[in-house]
Amino acid sequence: APDGYDLVKADYSQLEMRVLAESGQVAKLIEAYQHHDDLHLSSAEEIIKPVLESFNGPAWHVWWKWGIKERRWFGKNGLNFPSVYGVAADKLVEQANKNELPLIYAEAREILRLFDRRYPQIEEYRTQYQAMIRATGEARTLYDRRRVFPGLASYDRLERAAALREGFNHRIQGTAADLFKLSLLRLWQEGLWDDTHRAVNYIHDEVVFYVPHGDYVWCSQAKEIMESVTHWQPFESWPLHTWSVPLEVEVSIGKNWYDTVPLDGLLTPR
């Protein structure tokens, strides 16, 4: 950050998983988010770990050497996020092997079976929504942004399947993109995006600002605005969807990208 400024990162936590929970009304996910549970760690410890332990193969001997950080990362990127869109066992094996976890196909299949047993509404919702896409030829975000999929009329079975996957992706990822853009618009309309508080980059669900050094009040206000964007209508005709899933924004501050620390730690009395 320039002299006199801090670099501030505001990142939506698990935004696509939260959109899935809301869009599909997945009861267990909604309950977990309302209670601020750590879904990634619970998937690691309650789904992946028991399977690897029961097989007692090479993957288990790597897993028990991993710390909480590595286990949580794989619960997030190896299982939870891919399962939003329907991951196959061979893809789970591939992802694990890339991260030096020697998973075998039978273990991956059992992990996915336990995931589906824990969250049966995810697969039910994905199947139902893809049936709607097949019938209408389109998909919409929760805010009614429409996308048409000509590939559904293809004679190629693989092309039709890809169109269905893309349609469901539009429902989830498109809604997440809508929310992110809404939050930026609201920051600007509320006067938090100005000449002294400048947005300099966007990465997925994260926005990066240059903010005057020590302006923690601004950081708290930005966090509150981004987390409450689901209750905001930018104009009267905007479709307002009443959310039961809370959003959470993680704000961190520092002089550069690698040295940021969480805002909560700076505000906690010592």
Side-chain angles (χ1 to χ4, degrees):
D3 290 343
Y5 284 81
D6 290 326
L7 182 146
V8 175
K9 299 189 296 181
D11 183 16
Y12 276 110
S13 172
Q14 303 174 29
L15 184 56
E16 290 180 21
M17 288 286 289
R18 292 173 194 266
V19 170
L20 173 66
E22 180 64 34
S23 181
Q25 286 297 289
V26 182
K28 284 189 176 180
L29 287 180
I30 292 173
E31 182 181 1
Y33 283 125
Q34 289 177 341
H35 289 87
H36 304 286
D37 295 341
D38 189 332
L39 281 174
H40 300 324
L41 187 58
S42 65
S43 287
E45 296 298 319
E46 298 171 22
I47 297 178
I48 300 172
K49 179 183 175 181
V51 171
L52 299 186
E53 187 174 13
S54 68
F55 276 81
N56 195 26
W60 169 242
H61 298 290
V62 171
W63 181 268
W64 71 262
K65 295 178 182 178
W66 277 4
I68 294 296
K69 182 179 179 180
E70 291 83 2
R71 293 183 181 189
R72 185 182 184 279
W73 186 94
F74 190 74
K76 170 185 175 181
N77 295 288
L79 180 58
N80 284 352
F81 283 172
S83 295
V84 170
Y85 306 105
V87 64
D90 57 339
K91 294 296 182 182
L92 183 57
V93 169
E94 182 181 326
Q95 175 74 355
N97 290 336
K98 284 181 180 178
N99 291 277
E100 301 181 353
L101 182 67
L103 201 67
I104 61 173
Y105 184 84
E107 292 170 327
R109 188 172 55 185
E110 181 64 11
I111 287 170
L112 294 176
R113 189 183 70 81
L114 291 184
F115 184 90
D116 288 341
R117 179 188 292 179
R118 183 168 185 168
Y119 303 111
Q121 287 179 293
I122 293 180
E123 179 60 28
E124 291 170 7
Y125 174 61
R126 183 165 50 242
T127 301
Q128 291 169 2
Y129 196 78
Q130 288 182 335
M132 188 277 294
I133 297 171
R134 191 181 292 111
T136 63
E138 65 179 40
R140 295 175 183 261
T141 69
L142 281 177
Y143 295 99
D144 219 27
R145 183 158 58 87
R146 175 174 174 263
R147 182 179 170 191
V148 176
F149 295 90
L152 292 169
S154 172
Y155 289 104
D156 187 329
R157 177 179 58 84
L158 295 179
E159 190 173 345
R160 293 196 305 272
L164 284 177
R165 288 195 302 271
E166 290 172 11
F168 189 74
N169 287 5
H170 176 72
R171 177 69 167 181
I172 305 302
Q173 294 178 341
T175 299
D178 289 348
L179 285 169
F180 185 69
K181 292 169 186 174
L182 272 178
S183 69
L184 297 181
L185 178 60
R186 192 175 181 206
L187 285 171
W188 176 74
Q189 287 200 352
E190 294 290 336
L192 271 73
W193 183 346
D194 55 28
D195 291 341
T196 56
H197 304 84
R198 294 178 287 130
V200 293
N201 207 349
Y202 321 99
I203 304 98
H204 301 299
D205 306 324
E206 175 180 310
V207 59
V208 181
F209 274 85
Y210 286 156
V211 174
H213 179 65
D215 194 351
Y216 301 149
V217 172
W218 181 94
C219 296
S220 298
Q221 290 174 337
K223 174 181 170 70
E224 182 180 352
I225 283 174
M226 293 178 70
E227 289 180 341
S228 63
V229 73
T230 52
H231 307 294
W232 181 60
Q233 272 186 297
F235 43 84
E236 189 174 343
S237 61
W238 180 261
L240 182 62
H241 179 87
T242 303
W243 283 62
S244 53
V245 176
L247 300 185
E248 184 175 327
V249 174
E250 298 171 347
V251 177
S252 54
I253 309 170
K255 286 302 295 179
N256 59 63
W257 183 275
Y258 296 102
D259 295 331
T260 58
V261 295
L263 172 67
D264 292 343
L266 297 172
L267 298 179
T268 302
R270 298 182 179 179

